Amino acid sequence: MLENQYNFYKNNENDKIWWVDTFDQVGVWLFSFDKHKIYNMFADYPHNLTKKEIFDKENPYWKNFFEDRQ
């Protein structure tokens, strides 16, 4: 189970996105919607996301950043 392998955290208590602590890697942004499947923001956004609307709502900065990928 991924919960035992990774440290998951939320930026805000009410968020739906779980971020994955990558303290041993620089420039890697991993997240999950359910703690079972982990996405890499730079490799998977937006085409591989199952819940892109949730990600965009909670992360408007990154939605803007990746605007050319829409």
Side-chain angles (χ1 to χ4, degrees):
M1 180 177 264
L2 291 177
E3 281 187 76
N4 298 332
Q5 298 172 5
Y6 297 96
N7 181 30
F8 291 93
Y9 67 94
K10 291 184 176 185
N11 287 332
N12 299 299
E13 184 178 318
N14 296 327
D15 284 353
K16 305 236 185 285
I17 302 277
W18 290 93
W19 291 95
V20 180
D21 194 354
T22 57
F23 60 89
D24 59 338
Q25 298 175 315
V26 176
V28 176
W29 294 84
L30 304 178
F31 64 93
S32 179
F33 296 104
D34 58 10
K35 295 185 183 179
H36 295 286
K37 178 167 175 61
I38 294 178
Y39 295 91
N40 180 313
M41 186 168 51
F42 289 101
D44 293 323
Y45 185 90
H47 306 294
N48 294 331
L49 298 189
T50 56
K51 300 177 183 179
K52 180 182 171 297
E53 312 80 39
I54 293 171
F55 184 89
D56 288 348
K57 182 179 178 184
E58 290 185 11
N59 300 282
Y61 171 83
W62 290 114
K63 179 185 178 191
N64 242 6
F65 182 86
F66 290 119
E67 191 172 43
D68 62 331
R69 293 187 185 188
Q70 306 295 326

